Amino acid sequence: MKSTKQFDWKDRVKQKEGNLVSDMGGEKVMMSIQSGKYYNLGSTGGRIWDLLAEERTLADLVEVLASEYEIDADTCHEQVVQFLEHMSREGLINIAHEG
């Protein structure tokens, strides 16, 4: 059975260079220089993007966000992984898998 799990708690994630990001009324919008695509990251996605200015583990990211948004770690993990999977597919983040 093939595993669909793309992210592990110890994986390190960081934003890639070459994206223009702007604050628009509390939500972050971004344009990829490479693809020319625009992305509306929203407020939560924008916060994740800000946190990824420095390399972080998935566990660290979930811990910070769960605390800030006052949600349980499992819910936070699920939503963060969905966001990161999208960012990964679009080539906007670097992922260093552990182990």
Side-chain angles (χ1 to χ4, degrees):
M1 190 160 152
K2 186 181 169 195
S3 172
T4 58
K5 187 175 172 196
Q6 186 175 353
F7 291 93
D8 187 77
W9 287 102
K10 296 178 194 160
D11 287 349
R12 296 183 317 279
V13 187
K14 187 175 194 297
Q15 57 180 243
K16 282 188 179 176
E17 301 288 317
N19 298 296
L20 299 175
V21 181
S22 183
D23 225 332
M24 306 275 280
E27 293 194 350
K28 287 231 188 308
V29 292
M30 177 172 64
M31 185 184 97
S32 167
I33 303 281
Q34 189 174 17
S35 71
K37 288 184 178 178
Y38 283 91
Y39 304 90
N40 183 348
L41 303 179
S43 57
T44 307
R47 178 63 181 135
I48 294 171
W49 184 255
D50 288 345
L51 289 169
L52 294 179
E54 296 178 15
E55 187 177 74
R56 295 180 181 268
T57 63
L58 177 57
D60 181 44
L61 201 55
V62 169
E63 184 181 331
V64 169
L65 293 165
S67 172
E68 286 182 7
Y69 290 95
E70 298 179 350
I71 60 173
D72 68 272
D74 287 340
T75 302
C76 185
H77 175 266
E78 186 178 311
Q79 292 176 1
V80 168
V81 166
Q82 285 178 2
F83 181 78
L84 294 178
E85 284 174 345
H86 178 71
M87 300 297 276
S88 177
R89 279 193 307 273
E90 296 294 326
L92 301 171
I93 58 174
N94 290 313
I95 305 160
H97 295 289
E98 287 299 306

